[in-house]
PDB file of all heavy atoms in Angstrom:
ATOM      1  N   PRO A   1      12.531 -53.239  11.463  1.00 79.00           N
ATOM      2  CA  PRO A   1      12.579 -54.186  10.342  1.00 79.00           C
ATOM      3  C   PRO A   1      12.486 -53.536   8.967  1.00 79.00           C
ATOM      4  O   PRO A   1      12.432 -54.240   7.973  1.00 79.00           O
ATOM      5  CB  PRO A   1      11.345 -55.045  10.608  1.00 79.00           C
ATOM      6  CG  PRO A   1      10.364 -54.086  11.197  1.00 79.00           C
ATOM      7  CD  PRO A   1      11.170 -53.122  12.023  1.00 79.00           C
ATOM      8  N   SER A   2      12.431 -52.193   8.913  1.00 80.00           N
ATOM      9  CA  SER A   2      12.210 -51.545   7.622  1.00 80.00           C
ATOM     10  C   SER A   2      13.430 -51.630   6.716  1.00 80.00           C
ATOM     11  O   SER A   2      13.301 -51.675   5.493  1.00 80.00           O
ATOM     12  CB  SER A   2      11.818 -50.077   7.844  1.00 80.00           C
ATOM     13  OG  SER A   2      12.831 -49.399   8.572  1.00 80.00           O
ATOM     14  N   PHE A   3      14.632 -51.640   7.294  1.00 85.00           N
ATOM     15  CA  PHE A   3      15.849 -51.661   6.483  1.00 85.00           C
ATOM     16  C   PHE A   3      16.242 -53.103   6.180  1.00 85.00           C
ATOM     17  O   PHE A   3      16.098 -53.980   7.034  1.00 85.00           O
ATOM     18  CB  PHE A   3      16.985 -50.951   7.232  1.00 85.00           C
ATOM     19  CG  PHE A   3      18.161 -50.620   6.363  1.00 85.00           C
ATOM     20  CD1 PHE A   3      18.073 -49.612   5.421  1.00 85.00           C
ATOM     21  CD2 PHE A   3      19.343 -51.323   6.484  1.00 85.00           C
ATOM     22  CE1 PHE A   3      19.153 -49.307   4.610  1.00 85.00           C
ATOM     23  CE2 PHE A   3      20.433 -51.029   5.682  1.00 85.00           C
ATOM     24  CZ  PHE A   3      20.330 -50.012   4.741  1.00 85.00           C
ATOM     25  N   PRO A   4      16.751 -53.384   4.958  1.00 85.00           N
ATOM     26  CA  PRO A   4      17.112 -54.762   4.598  1.00 85.00           C
ATOM     27  C   PRO A   4      18.100 -55.383   5.583  1.00 85.00           C
ATOM     28  O   PRO A   4      19.129 -54.798   5.897  1.00 85.00           O
ATOM     29  CB  PRO A   4      17.737 -54.604   3.206  1.00 85.00           C
ATOM     30  CG  PRO A   4      17.133 -53.360   2.661  1.00 85.00           C
ATOM     31  CD  PRO A   4      16.933 -52.450   3.833  1.00 85.00           C
ATOM     32  N   LYS A   5      17.780 -56.561   6.034  1.00 83.00           N
ATOM     33  CA  LYS A   5      18.578 -57.232   7.058  1.00 83.00           C
ATOM     34  C   LYS A   5      19.926 -57.691   6.532  1.00 83.00           C
ATOM     35  O   LYS A   5      20.864 -57.910   7.317  1.00 83.00           O
ATOM     36  CB  LYS A   5      17.787 -58.433   7.600  1.00 83.00           C
ATOM     37  CG  LYS A   5      18.184 -58.862   8.997  1.00 83.00           C
ATOM     38  CD  LYS A   5      17.218 -59.890   9.530  1.00 83.00           C
ATOM     39  CE  LYS A   5      17.565 -60.257  10.972  1.00 83.00           C
ATOM     40  NZ  LYS A   5      16.589 -61.235  11.529  1.00 83.00           N
ATOM     41  N   ARG A   6      20.068 -57.815   5.225  1.00 82.00           N
ATOM     42  CA  ARG A   6      21.320 -58.329   4.660  1.00 82.00           C
ATOM     43  C   ARG A   6      22.505 -57.412   4.949  1.00 82.00           C
ATOM     44  O   ARG A   6      23.660 -57.847   4.916  1.00 82.00           O
ATOM     45  CB  ARG A   6      21.177 -58.517   3.152  1.00 82.00           C
ATOM     46  CG  ARG A   6      20.997 -57.231   2.357  1.00 82.00           C
ATOM     47  CD  ARG A   6      20.872 -57.497   0.867  1.00 82.00           C
ATOM     48  NE  ARG A   6      20.792 -56.288   0.080  1.00 82.00           N
ATOM     49  CZ  ARG A   6      19.659 -55.651  -0.194  1.00 82.00           C
ATOM     50  NH1 ARG A   6      18.510 -56.128   0.268  1.00 82.00           N
ATOM     51  NH2 ARG A   6      19.666 -54.548  -0.923  1.00 82.00           N
ATOM     52  N   PHE A   7      22.241 -56.120   5.227  1.00 82.00           N
ATOM     53  CA  PHE A   7      23.328 -55.194   5.524  1.00 82.00           C
ATOM     54  C   PHE A   7      23.818 -55.327   6.965  1.00 82.00           C
ATOM     55  O   PHE A   7      24.878 -54.806   7.306  1.00 82.00           O
ATOM     56  CB  PHE A   7      22.886 -53.747   5.268  1.00 82.00           C
ATOM     57  CG  PHE A   7      22.775 -53.404   3.812  1.00 82.00           C
ATOM     58  CD1 PHE A   7      21.555 -53.500   3.163  1.00 82.00           C
ATOM     59  CD2 PHE A   7      23.876 -53.003   3.085  1.00 82.00           C
ATOM     60  CE1 PHE A   7      21.430 -53.184   1.822  1.00 82.00           C
ATOM     61  CE2 PHE A   7      23.772 -52.689   1.739  1.00 82.00           C
ATOM     62  CZ  PHE A   7      22.550 -52.774   1.107  1.00 82.00           C
ATOM     63  N   LEU A   8      23.030 -55.968   7.817  1.00 79.00           N
ATOM     64  CA  LEU A   8      23.394 -56.102   9.226  1.00 79.00           C
ATOM     65  C   LEU A   8      23.925 -57.479   9.568  1.00 79.00           C
ATOM     66  O   LEU A   8      24.459 -57.677  10.664  1.00 79.00           O
ATOM     67  CB  LEU A   8      22.171 -55.797  10.103  1.00 79.00           C
ATOM     68  CG  LEU A   8      21.582 -54.390   9.945  1.00 79.00           C
ATOM     69  CD1 LEU A   8      20.280 -54.277  10.715  1.00 79.00           C
ATOM     70  CD2 LEU A   8      22.573 -53.348  10.433  1.00 79.00           C
ATOM     71  N   GLU A   9      23.762 -58.430   8.680  1.00 75.00           N
ATOM     72  CA  GLU A   9      24.234 -59.794   8.940  1.00 75.00           C
ATOM     73  C   GLU A   9      25.086 -60.265   7.759  1.00 75.00           C
ATOM     74  O   GLU A   9      24.823 -59.898   6.604  1.00 75.00           O
ATOM     75  CB  GLU A   9      23.037 -60.745   9.120  1.00 75.00           C
ATOM     76  CG  GLU A   9      22.178 -60.422  10.328  1.00 75.00           C
ATOM     77  CD  GLU A   9      20.984 -61.358  10.444  1.00 75.00           C
ATOM     78  OE1 GLU A   9      20.742 -62.128   9.485  1.00 75.00           O
ATOM     79  OE2 GLU A   9      20.310 -61.333  11.483  1.00 75.00           O
ATOM     80  N   PRO A  10      26.115 -61.108   8.012  1.00 69.00           N
ATOM     81  CA  PRO A  10      26.525 -61.603   9.331  1.00 69.00           C
ATOM     82  C   PRO A  10      27.506 -60.686  10.036  1.00 69.00           C
ATOM     83  O   PRO A  10      27.779 -60.842  11.213  1.00 69.00           O
ATOM     84  CB  PRO A  10      27.203 -62.928   8.979  1.00 69.00           C
ATOM     85  CG  PRO A  10      27.801 -62.670   7.617  1.00 69.00           C
ATOM     86  CD  PRO A  10      26.851 -61.742   6.922  1.00 69.00           C
ATOM     87  N   ASN A  11      28.094 -59.698   9.313  1.00 74.00           N
ATOM     88  CA  ASN A  11      29.143 -58.858   9.878  1.00 74.00           C
ATOM     89  C   ASN A  11      28.688 -57.404   9.875  1.00 74.00           C
ATOM     90  O   ASN A  11      28.692 -56.751   8.831  1.00 74.00           O
ATOM     91  CB  ASN A  11      30.436 -59.016   9.067  1.00 74.00           C
ATOM     92  CG  ASN A  11      31.598 -58.253   9.683  1.00 74.00           C
ATOM     93  OD1 ASN A  11      31.474 -57.734  10.787  1.00 74.00           O
ATOM     94  ND2 ASN A  11      32.694 -58.188   8.974  1.00 74.00           N
ATOM     95  N   VAL A  12      28.288 -56.923  11.046  1.00 78.00           N
ATOM     96  CA  VAL A  12      27.784 -55.556  11.127  1.00 78.00           C
ATOM     97  C   VAL A  12      28.910 -54.534  10.965  1.00 78.00           C
ATOM     98  O   VAL A  12      28.668 -53.376  10.620  1.00 78.00           O
ATOM     99  CB  VAL A  12      27.042 -55.348  12.460  1.00 78.00           C
ATOM    100  CG1 VAL A  12      28.026 -55.266  13.624  1.00 78.00           C
ATOM    101  CG2 VAL A  12      26.176 -54.088  12.418  1.00 78.00           C
ATOM    102  N   ASP A  13      30.156 -54.955  11.188  1.00 83.00           N
ATOM    103  CA  ASP A  13      31.281 -54.033  11.023  1.00 83.00           C
ATOM    104  C   ASP A  13      31.385 -53.544   9.587  1.00 83.00           C
ATOM    105  O   ASP A  13      31.834 -52.419   9.334  1.00 83.00           O
ATOM    106  CB  ASP A  13      32.592 -54.704  11.434  1.00 83.00           C
ATOM    107  CG  ASP A  13      32.665 -54.953  12.931  1.00 83.00           C
ATOM    108  OD1 ASP A  13      31.959 -54.238  13.660  1.00 83.00           O
ATOM    109  OD2 ASP A  13      33.413 -55.847  13.356  1.00 83.00           O
ATOM    110  N   LEU A  14      30.983 -54.388   8.639  1.00 85.00           N
ATOM    111  CA  LEU A  14      31.034 -53.981   7.234  1.00 85.00           C
ATOM    112  C   LEU A  14      30.124 -52.787   6.993  1.00 85.00           C
ATOM    113  O   LEU A  14      30.470 -51.868   6.240  1.00 85.00           O
ATOM    114  CB  LEU A  14      30.631 -55.154   6.338  1.00 85.00           C
ATOM    115  CG  LEU A  14      30.605 -54.862   4.826  1.00 85.00           C
ATOM    116  CD1 LEU A  14      31.977 -54.427   4.340  1.00 85.00           C
ATOM    117  CD2 LEU A  14      30.124 -56.083   4.050  1.00 85.00           C
ATOM    118  N   LEU A  15      28.948 -52.780   7.627  1.00 88.00           N
ATOM    119  CA  LEU A  15      28.034 -51.644   7.480  1.00 88.00           C
ATOM    120  C   LEU A  15      28.669 -50.375   8.024  1.00 88.00           C
ATOM    121  O   LEU A  15      28.620 -49.322   7.373  1.00 88.00           O
ATOM    122  CB  LEU A  15      26.720 -51.932   8.210  1.00 88.00           C
ATOM    123  CG  LEU A  15      25.726 -50.765   8.274  1.00 88.00           C
ATOM    124  CD1 LEU A  15      25.249 -50.389   6.880  1.00 88.00           C
ATOM    125  CD2 LEU A  15      24.535 -51.113   9.166  1.00 88.00           C
ATOM    126  N   CYS A  16      29.276 -50.452   9.202  1.00 88.00           N
ATOM    127  CA  CYS A  16      29.895 -49.272   9.809  1.00 88.00           C
ATOM    128  C   CYS A  16      31.044 -48.747   8.951  1.00 88.00           C
ATOM    129  O   CYS A  16      31.179 -47.533   8.740  1.00 88.00           O
ATOM    130  CB  CYS A  16      30.395 -49.605  11.212  1.00 88.00           C
ATOM    131  SG  CYS A  16      29.087 -50.088  12.364  1.00 88.00           S
ATOM    132  N   HIS A  17      31.865 -49.661   8.434  1.00 89.00           N
ATOM    133  CA  HIS A  17      32.980 -49.239   7.584  1.00 89.00           C
ATOM    134  C   HIS A  17      32.469 -48.630   6.283  1.00 89.00           C
ATOM    135  O   HIS A  17      33.031 -47.642   5.794  1.00 89.00           O
ATOM    136  CB  HIS A  17      33.887 -50.435   7.274  1.00 89.00           C
ATOM    137  CG  HIS A  17      34.653 -50.936   8.463  1.00 89.00           C
ATOM    138  ND1 HIS A  17      35.264 -50.090   9.363  1.00 89.00           N
ATOM    139  CD2 HIS A  17      34.902 -52.197   8.910  1.00 89.00           C
ATOM    140  CE1 HIS A  17      35.861 -50.784  10.304  1.00 89.00           C
ATOM    141  NE2 HIS A  17      35.652 -52.076  10.064  1.00 89.00           N
ATOM    142  N   THR A  18      31.414 -49.198   5.736  1.00 90.00           N
ATOM    143  CA  THR A  18      30.864 -48.673   4.484  1.00 90.00           C
ATOM    144  C   THR A  18      30.293 -47.274   4.685  1.00 90.00           C
ATOM    145  O   THR A  18      30.497 -46.386   3.855  1.00 90.00           O
ATOM    146  CB  THR A  18      29.776 -49.616   3.937  1.00 90.00           C
ATOM    147  OG1 THR A  18      30.307 -50.929   3.783  1.00 90.00           O
ATOM    148  CG2 THR A  18      29.276 -49.126   2.587  1.00 90.00           C
ATOM    149  N   VAL A  19      29.570 -47.072   5.794  1.00 91.00           N
ATOM    150  CA  VAL A  19      29.032 -45.745   6.099  1.00 91.00           C
ATOM    151  C   VAL A  19      30.163 -44.729   6.219  1.00 91.00           C
ATOM    152  O   VAL A  19      30.077 -43.598   5.715  1.00 91.00           O
ATOM    153  CB  VAL A  19      28.203 -45.782   7.401  1.00 91.00           C
ATOM    154  CG1 VAL A  19      27.844 -44.372   7.858  1.00 91.00           C
ATOM    155  CG2 VAL A  19      26.930 -46.609   7.190  1.00 91.00           C
ATOM    156  N   SER A  20      31.251 -45.133   6.874  1.00 89.00           N
ATOM    157  CA  SER A  20      32.394 -44.230   7.043  1.00 89.00           C
ATOM    158  C   SER A  20      33.099 -43.936   5.719  1.00 89.00           C
ATOM    159  O   SER A  20      33.732 -42.883   5.576  1.00 89.00           O
ATOM    160  CB  SER A  20      33.390 -44.834   8.035  1.00 89.00           C
ATOM    161  OG  SER A  20      32.779 -45.068   9.291  1.00 89.00           O
ATOM    162  N   ASP A  21      33.000 -44.861   4.770  1.00 89.00           N
ATOM    163  CA  ASP A  21      33.676 -44.683   3.484  1.00 89.00           C
ATOM    164  C   ASP A  21      32.894 -43.823   2.496  1.00 89.00           C
ATOM    165  O   ASP A  21      33.435 -43.448   1.449  1.00 89.00           O
ATOM    166  CB  ASP A  21      33.927 -46.049   2.824  1.00 89.00           C
ATOM    167  CG  ASP A  21      35.014 -46.839   3.541  1.00 89.00           C
ATOM    168  OD1 ASP A  21      35.784 -46.220   4.303  1.00 89.00           O
ATOM    169  OD2 ASP A  21      35.070 -48.078   3.362  1.00 89.00           O
ATOM    170  N   VAL A  22      31.641 -43.538   2.797  1.00 90.00           N
ATOM    171  CA  VAL A  22      30.826 -42.749   1.863  1.00 90.00           C
ATOM    172  C   VAL A  22      31.351 -41.316   1.815  1.00 90.00           C
ATOM    173  O   VAL A  22      31.423 -40.641   2.840  1.00 90.00           O
ATOM    174  CB  VAL A  22      29.344 -42.761   2.282  1.00 90.00           C
ATOM    175  CG1 VAL A  22      28.530 -41.801   1.417  1.00 90.00           C
ATOM    176  CG2 VAL A  22      28.778 -44.170   2.170  1.00 90.00           C
ATOM    177  N   PRO A  23      31.726 -40.823   0.650  1.00 89.00           N
ATOM    178  CA  PRO A  23      32.218 -39.445   0.539  1.00 89.00           C
ATOM    179  C   PRO A  23      31.058 -38.449   0.613  1.00 89.00           C
ATOM    180  O   PRO A  23      29.897 -38.845   0.502  1.00 89.00           O
ATOM    181  CB  PRO A  23      32.866 -39.427  -0.857  1.00 89.00           C
ATOM    182  CG  PRO A  23      32.073 -40.432  -1.634  1.00 89.00           C
ATOM    183  CD  PRO A  23      31.688 -41.508  -0.657  1.00 89.00           C
ATOM    184  N   PRO A  24      31.339 -37.165   0.817  1.00 90.00           N
ATOM    185  CA  PRO A  24      30.273 -36.165   0.754  1.00 90.00           C
ATOM    186  C   PRO A  24      29.533 -36.260  -0.576  1.00 90.00           C
ATOM    187  O   PRO A  24      30.166 -36.312  -1.635  1.00 90.00           O
ATOM    188  CB  PRO A  24      31.023 -34.837   0.891  1.00 90.00           C
ATOM    189  CG  PRO A  24      32.294 -35.194   1.599  1.00 90.00           C
ATOM    190  CD  PRO A  24      32.652 -36.573   1.138  1.00 90.00           C
ATOM    191  N   LEU A  25      28.222 -36.309  -0.518  1.00 90.00           N
ATOM    192  CA  LEU A  25      27.444 -36.528  -1.743  1.00 90.00           C
ATOM    193  C   LEU A  25      27.623 -35.393  -2.738  1.00 90.00           C
ATOM    194  O   LEU A  25      27.593 -35.611  -3.949  1.00 90.00           O
ATOM    195  CB  LEU A  25      25.962 -36.689  -1.386  1.00 90.00           C
ATOM    196  CG  LEU A  25      25.622 -37.870  -0.469  1.00 90.00           C
ATOM    197  CD1 LEU A  25      24.114 -37.994  -0.304  1.00 90.00           C
ATOM    198  CD2 LEU A  25      26.203 -39.164  -1.010  1.00 90.00           C
ATOM    199  N   GLU A  26      27.808 -34.190  -2.241  1.00 89.00           N
ATOM    200  CA  GLU A  26      28.018 -33.059  -3.146  1.00 89.00           C
ATOM    201  C   GLU A  26      29.299 -33.237  -3.949  1.00 89.00           C
ATOM    202  O   GLU A  26      29.337 -33.012  -5.163  1.00 89.00           O
ATOM    203  CB  GLU A  26      28.073 -31.753  -2.346  1.00 89.00           C
ATOM    204  CG  GLU A  26      28.220 -30.513  -3.207  1.00 89.00           C
ATOM    205  CD  GLU A  26      28.228 -29.239  -2.385  1.00 89.00           C
ATOM    206  OE1 GLU A  26      28.144 -29.328  -1.147  1.00 89.00           O
ATOM    207  OE2 GLU A  26      28.315 -28.156  -2.984  1.00 89.00           O
ATOM    208  N   GLY A  27      30.373 -33.679  -3.261  1.00 86.00           N
ATOM    209  CA  GLY A  27      31.632 -33.918  -3.957  1.00 86.00           C
ATOM    210  C   GLY A  27      31.540 -35.075  -4.929  1.00 86.00           C
ATOM    211  O   GLY A  27      32.129 -35.048  -6.009  1.00 86.00           O
ATOM    212  N   LEU A  28      30.788 -36.110  -4.538  1.00 84.00           N
ATOM    213  CA  LEU A  28      30.603 -37.270  -5.410  1.00 84.00           C
ATOM    214  C   LEU A  28      29.929 -36.868  -6.716  1.00 84.00           C
ATOM    215  O   LEU A  28      30.400 -37.199  -7.809  1.00 84.00           O
ATOM    216  CB  LEU A  28      29.767 -38.325  -4.689  1.00 84.00           C
ATOM    217  CG  LEU A  28      29.295 -39.529  -5.507  1.00 84.00           C
ATOM    218  CD1 LEU A  28      30.478 -40.334  -5.995  1.00 84.00           C
ATOM    219  CD2 LEU A  28      28.357 -40.402  -4.685  1.00 84.00           C
ATOM    220  N   LEU A  29      28.841 -36.132  -6.618  1.00 84.00           N
ATOM    221  CA  LEU A  29      28.105 -35.737  -7.817  1.00 84.00           C
ATOM    222  C   LEU A  29      28.898 -34.740  -8.652  1.00 84.00           C
ATOM    223  O   LEU A  29      28.899 -34.810  -9.890  1.00 84.00           O
ATOM    224  CB  LEU A  29      26.756 -35.135  -7.420  1.00 84.00           C
ATOM    225  CG  LEU A  29      25.805 -34.802  -8.566  1.00 84.00           C
ATOM    226  CD1 LEU A  29      25.474 -36.049  -9.376  1.00 84.00           C
ATOM    227  CD2 LEU A  29      24.517 -34.165  -8.030  1.00 84.00           C
TER     228      LEU A  29
END
């Protein structure tokens, strides 16, 4: 329960797609 539930509901696929879309943080900065 530590992570905000709004990221898991109602569509958990959005979380997975968002994680996959995150670029390397070094390149981002």
